Amino acid sequence: TSVISLFDLGWNEFFENEFRKQDEGGVCPARVVEELKDAYRVRGETGELLAEVAGRVRFAAPAREGLPAVGDWVVLAPREREGRGTILGVLPRRSKVSRKAAGRVAAEQVIAANLDTIFVVSSLNRDFNVRRIERYLAMVWESGASPVVLLTKSDLCEDAAQRAEEMKSVAMGVPVHVLSAISGEG
């Protein structure tokens, strides 16, 4: 098994300082890479483990948004021999993408956390919609991350350059890239 560097996963001085505040000994930092029904797949220097949230963390969470989300850094008590671990805490987030959770109660659902850059991808086919991309950009800006627009399938669009210019006029200052897997453009 190869050793995983925390820095390759996005670890930095901010998270290091926050982790020190919660370090109880026998724990390590890990990043949530997948949210499952009742568990999380986390990755850290110990490799990839399946982890559950400790009862005290679940109880202390004011609502669903207090629980881990993909991209979160967590304080993990690993049980390497079992390939498992227990999440004892969630480090503060630097950014988060969220939406209103489904249901009658107005609750937040965190989709992903601690992202620096988010790619907004849209095909230049008949489904291309500048206003929809504009709504996605608003969500990205609100998250604290930086957006980049990727317009794909330029080979299927006669006026790809014109549509890219239209997108640039709406997404002021956001990089817009036109791509085609067929021609290799972009």
Side-chain angles (χ1 to χ4, degrees):
T1 342
S2 64
V3 175
I4 297 171
S5 163
L6 293 180
F7 294 98
D8 289 343
L9 296 173
W11 188 251
N12 59 37
E13 190 176 326
F14 171 82
F15 297 118
E16 178 69 37
N17 292 333
E18 293 298 330
F19 178 75
R20 280 192 201 127
K21 295 175 188 176
Q22 297 186 42
D23 188 349
E24 306 171 1
V27 297
C28 62
R31 191 145 196 203
V32 176
V33 296
E34 182 181 13
E35 185 175 346
L36 304 165
K37 186 175 180 193
D38 293 317
Y40 298 87
R41 190 169 314 285
V42 298
R43 191 172 291 156
E45 289 178 335
T46 58
E48 197 168 281
L49 303 173
L50 202 57
E52 68 277 349
V53 175
R56 69 179 178 167
V57 174
R58 192 174 300 282
F59 182 75
R64 173 68 185 92
E65 72 265 15
L67 295 174
V70 171
D72 270 328
W73 283 96
V74 296
V75 178
L76 183 74
R79 299 188 309 276
E80 293 176 60
R81 287 186 178 164
E82 299 173 37
R84 300 184 73 81
T86 303
I87 296 171
L88 302 177
V90 181
L91 300 183
R93 296 174 175 137
R94 294 191 63 173
S95 65
K96 67 178 178 180
V97 177
S98 62
R99 66 180 182 188
K100 181 180 175 281
R104 295 181 184 183
V105 180
E108 179 183 29
Q109 178 185 12
V110 178
I111 299 166
N114 300 314
L115 301 174
D116 298 322
T117 304
I118 296 176
F119 295 109
V120 177
V121 182
S122 179
S123 170
L124 284 169
N125 63 11
R126 284 184 240 129
D127 197 35
F128 179 73
N129 184 316
V130 173
R131 297 296 165 235
R132 181 182 331 115
I133 298 169
E134 196 174 24
R135 288 191 302 273
Y136 292 153
L137 289 173
M139 191 164 74
V140 173
W141 279 315
E142 190 176 305
S143 79
S146 298
V148 174
V149 175
L150 302 178
L151 301 176
T152 65
K153 299 186 179 182
S154 64
D155 54 289
L156 299 179
C157 180
E158 292 178 16
D159 58 348
Q162 180 182 338
R163 287 188 172 187
E165 287 307 312
E166 180 185 0
M167 192 70 252
K168 286 178 185 176
S169 71
V170 172
M172 290 180 264
V174 174
V176 176
H177 301 279
V178 178
L179 313 168
S180 168
I182 300 294
S183 73
E185 178 185 4

